């Protein structure tokens, strides 16, 4: 099990979760953040600090955003397990599910 970043993060990328993550497993894509499923230690530190409530425990992800688990996992297909997001910085791409979304209006 792991945590998942869902649709509310798209085009927001507040990054408070990155600052709270003790294992540096939250990576920055072009339009969204992604949690590495193999590097996440399920501590839950990221979830309460997300100002847009975009982070969910895998089993608690709302039905409308279930595809985001797959997006978080598949985002790392080419990257593998780099062992920490900070050394990579911004990754100039997104999973196709996220890339295909229209721009998300800031509330």
């Amino acid at each position: 099990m792991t945590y998942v970043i869902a649709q509310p993060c798209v085009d927001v990328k507040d990054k408070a979760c990155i600052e709270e993550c003790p294992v540096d497993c939250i990576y920055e894509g072009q339009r969204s953040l992604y949690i590495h499923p193999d590097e996440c230690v399920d501590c839950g530190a990221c979830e309460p600090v997300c100002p847009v409530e975009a982070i969910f425990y895998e089993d608690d992800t709302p039905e409308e955003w279930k595809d985001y688990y797959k997006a978080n996992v598949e985002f790392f297909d080419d990257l593998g397990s780099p062992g920490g997001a900070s050394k990579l910085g911004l990754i100039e791409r997104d999973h196709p599910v996220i890339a295909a979304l229209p721009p998300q209006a800031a509330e």
Side-chain angles (χ1 to χ4, degrees):
M1 294 296 173
T2 189
Y3 281 82
V4 174
I5 296 178
Q7 187 273 332
C9 182
V10 177
D11 295 330
V12 174
K13 297 193 313 182
D14 173 78
K15 301 183 190 172
C17 57
I18 291 174
E19 295 171 20
E20 287 297 316
C21 180
V23 293
D24 195 26
C25 72
I26 303 174
Y27 292 73
E28 182 180 4
Q30 193 69 38
R31 297 180 63 197
S32 186
L33 302 175
Y34 300 85
I35 297 175
H36 197 296
D38 295 332
E39 295 175 5
C40 178
V41 295
D42 300 335
C43 72
C46 58
E47 185 180 18
V49 299
C50 179
V52 294
E53 299 179 357
I55 301 173
F56 301 91
Y57 193 63
E58 177 186 342
D59 288 345
D60 297 333
T61 305
E63 192 60 41
E64 67 204 271
W65 297 324
K66 289 290 184 186
D67 288 347
Y68 285 80
Y69 170 75
K70 184 177 176 183
N72 274 253
V73 170
E74 291 178 355
F75 181 76
F76 298 99
D77 283 352
D78 294 339
L79 289 175
S81 188
S86 59
K87 57 183 155 188
L88 291 185
L90 175 67
I91 299 164
E92 299 281 341
R93 65 177 178 80
D94 280 298
H95 184 274
V97 165
I98 286 137
L101 288 172
Q104 305 296 299
E107 293 184 22

